[in-house]
Amino acid sequence: MINVPNLLHGKVAIITGGVRGIGYAIAESFAAAGADLIVTTTREPESSSEELERLRSYGTRVMAMRLNVADKAEVAE
């Protein structure tokens, strides 16, 4: 995990699949570096509240939304 506080302060990262697996690890690294996050998940964001709160514990803003990036219509919407 990147551990350079404030390296990304003032930046916003959009991370697909950001509440599980590799996507979560990336989100956590960006949060640790100070980036605000927009994370997408194929599940309802409320079901990932524990993971989202861990990301917020880095002091960054986190917005979660349900979005399947493999579904062209959902992305267009």
Side-chain angles (χ1 to χ4, degrees):
M1 173 171 41
I2 298 173
N3 194 8
V4 185
N6 297 320
L7 176 70
L8 298 176
H9 180 75
K11 305 291 183 184
V12 177
I14 301 172
I15 302 171
T16 59
V19 294
R20 291 184 11 194
I22 294 171
Y24 180 79
I26 293 168
E28 189 174 29
S29 293
F30 276 61
D36 292 324
L37 306 173
I38 299 172
V39 296
T40 69
T41 176
T42 55
R43 303 180 287 165
E44 290 302 319
E46 296 81 26
S47 67
S48 304
S49 60
E50 187 177 315
E51 292 86 349
L52 296 173
E53 287 308 311
R54 269 189 262 147
L55 292 173
R56 289 183 181 109
S57 73
Y58 287 94
T60 61
R61 295 178 298 172
V62 179
M63 182 178 113
M65 60 187 297
R66 193 188 74 70
L67 174 66
N68 181 353
V69 295
D71 183 332
K72 216 174 190 180
E74 272 192 48
V75 173
E77 189 179 303

